[in-house]
Amino acid sequence: MTKNETYQNKATAAEKGIHTDFKNNMTYGEYLQLDTLLSSQDRLSDHHDEMLFIVIHQVSELWMKLILHETNAAIESIKTDDLPTSFKRLARVSKIQSQIIQAWDVLSTMTPSEYMEFRDSLGQASGFQSYQYRLIEFALGYKTGHILKIYEKDQELHKILEQAYHAPSLYDVSIQALAKAGLPINPDMVNRDFSKPYEADDSVREAWLTVYRNVDKYWDLYQLGEKLVDIEDWLQQWRFRHMKTVERIIGFKVGTGGSSGVNYLKKVLDQRFFPELWDLRTEI
């Protein structure tokens, strides 16, 4: 018997417990509902690269679903003063963000000429309408009421978005955590109308400065602040890669959803979610 045959026999013996009869048991594909998942890439054109376009956006939506799952769980953990658990969840969000950013590298392999072959098939459908992206913005505190109109077609979805629109964001509950720790926070910030866009506040700035100047005393809050900075940092990197990928593929054309395209994406780069945490870098 050759060495190769001996190795193969040992390998076969070692794996003799592998299950092969699934007549009465659930399979991997059934658990993940792969029949549904892998049959959801319906091209509207015959162009080869439309498959790439669909898969990239579907994968991104799956990652966004997990971002929302973890962010909303982190919000609940912070509400109940369980900051260590929130750190785990927020750290996971940052890792997910690093994955979703890399999706743009794959999409950017498509050239302008290739995209124009099927772009008209999209009609007015656009990533601008991604409701999960809007839920992420709401969860992070960027609230824009006029955007809700896009989703009036689906009353159930509109209800979910409206609820998130009025709910406290990740930053709102973090500010409440500062107040619970005894730091002097303006009461109007703790009990504000959460549907309003957040605006920087001096009491919040001073509270974060106290945390960062007394790390040992406020270690958990310091950790929370850094987790928030991580998330905003990655989000802005995602937005930048989005903007550059769009510019690379369609230049400054108007988006399929009617937005100004690259010009709109450049403007959102100026949006800030946790302003005091960035400003203190200069003051510390």
Side-chain angles (χ1 to χ4, degrees), residues 69-122:
H69 179 71
E70 298 296 342
T71 302
N72 289 330
I75 288 172
E76 293 306 312
S77 294
I78 296 168
K79 281 182 180 179
T80 58
D81 304 321
D82 185 5
L83 294 186
T85 298
S86 77
F87 301 157
K88 171 71 173 181
R89 290 164 177 166
L90 295 176
R92 183 173 291 163
V93 169
S94 294
K95 291 296 184 182
I96 299 165
Q97 288 174 299
S98 71
Q99 293 296 310
I100 205 170
I101 288 168
Q102 292 181 32
W104 297 121
D105 295 337
V106 183
L107 188 59
S108 66
T109 63
M110 184 170 61
T111 68
S113 299
E114 290 163 343
Y115 180 51
M116 292 310 295
E117 289 289 328
F118 65 87
R119 188 179 190 236
D120 288 345
S121 301
L122 304 180

Side-chain angles (χ1 to χ4, degrees), residues 59-245:
V59 168
S60 296
E61 289 291 338
L62 284 171
W63 280 130
M64 283 192 273
K65 182 173 184 174
L66 190 53
I67 286 173
L68 285 166
H69 179 71
E70 298 296 342
T71 302
N72 289 330
I75 288 172
E76 293 306 312
S77 294
I78 296 168
K79 281 182 180 179
T80 58
D81 304 321
D82 185 5
L83 294 186
T85 298
S86 77
F87 301 157
K88 171 71 173 181
R89 290 164 177 166
L90 295 176
R92 183 173 291 163
V93 169
S94 294
K95 291 296 184 182
I96 299 165
Q97 288 174 299
S98 71
Q99 293 296 310
I100 205 170
I101 288 168
Q102 292 181 32
W104 297 121
D105 295 337
V106 183
L107 188 59
S108 66
T109 63
M110 184 170 61
T111 68
S113 299
E114 290 163 343
Y115 180 51
M116 292 310 295
E117 289 289 328
F118 65 87
R119 188 179 190 236
D120 288 345
S121 301
L122 304 180
Q124 295 178 327
S126 165
F128 184 83
Q129 297 146 19
S130 168
Y131 71 86
Q132 290 199 122
Y133 178 71
R134 298 304 172 189
L135 286 171
I136 290 171
E137 284 191 330
F138 290 176
L140 298 184
Y142 186 73
K143 307 290 182 74
T144 46
H146 70 277
I147 215 75
L148 293 172
K149 186 171 179 61
I150 295 173
Y151 310 100
E152 288 178 348
K153 179 179 180 179
D154 185 333
Q155 287 301 306
E156 191 61 35
L157 175 57
H158 187 269
K159 183 178 177 180
I160 292 169
L161 282 150
E162 199 165 47
Q163 184 177 2
Y165 178 69
H166 289 283
S169 71
L170 178 61
Y171 201 42
D172 287 318
V173 297
S174 297
I175 291 170
Q176 291 169 356
L178 293 172
K180 288 179 185 177
L183 293 158
I185 299 291
N186 180 352
D188 291 339
M189 301 306 297
V190 176
N191 303 303
R192 72 187 194 88
D193 180 351
F194 299 123
S195 69
K196 302 293 185 184
Y198 179 78
E199 294 184 7
D201 178 83
D202 285 343
S203 69
V204 175
R205 178 178 61 84
E206 288 299 324
W208 281 122
L209 277 170
T210 299
V211 168
Y212 275 71
R213 286 171 175 160
N214 300 273
V215 171
D216 291 341
K217 182 177 179 180
Y218 298 106
W219 176 252
D220 278 355
L221 292 171
Y222 171 71
Q223 286 280 85
L224 176 60
E226 286 301 286
K227 290 291 185 289
L228 297 181
V229 169
D230 285 342
I231 286 173
E232 181 166 348
D233 191 349
W234 282 111
L235 179 67
Q236 295 295 53
Q237 290 186 54
W238 181 88
R239 284 173 159 181
F240 179 79
R241 288 297 297 124
H242 184 190
M243 181 269 292
K244 293 307 293 183
T245 302

Side-chain angles (χ1 to χ4, degrees), residues 1-17:
M1 185 179 293
T2 67
K3 277 187 177 182
N4 187 48
E5 287 173 331
T6 301
Y7 174 80
Q8 288 180 340
N9 287 339
K10 286 182 178 179
T12 301
E15 303 301 339
K16 63 182 179 182

Side-chain angles (χ1 to χ4, degrees), residues 35-74:
D35 283 349
T36 300
L37 187 65
L38 298 179
S39 62
S40 299
Q41 294 74 44
D42 295 325
R43 289 184 290 169
L44 299 178
S45 74
D46 294 327
H47 196 274
H48 175 84
D49 281 7
E50 190 181 355
M51 181 63 76
L52 164 68
F53 190 81
I54 292 171
V55 169
I56 288 295
H57 286 84
Q58 287 183 339
V59 168
S60 296
E61 289 291 338
L62 284 171
W63 280 130
M64 283 192 273
K65 182 173 184 174
L66 190 53
I67 286 173
L68 285 166
H69 179 71
E70 298 296 342
T71 302
N72 289 330

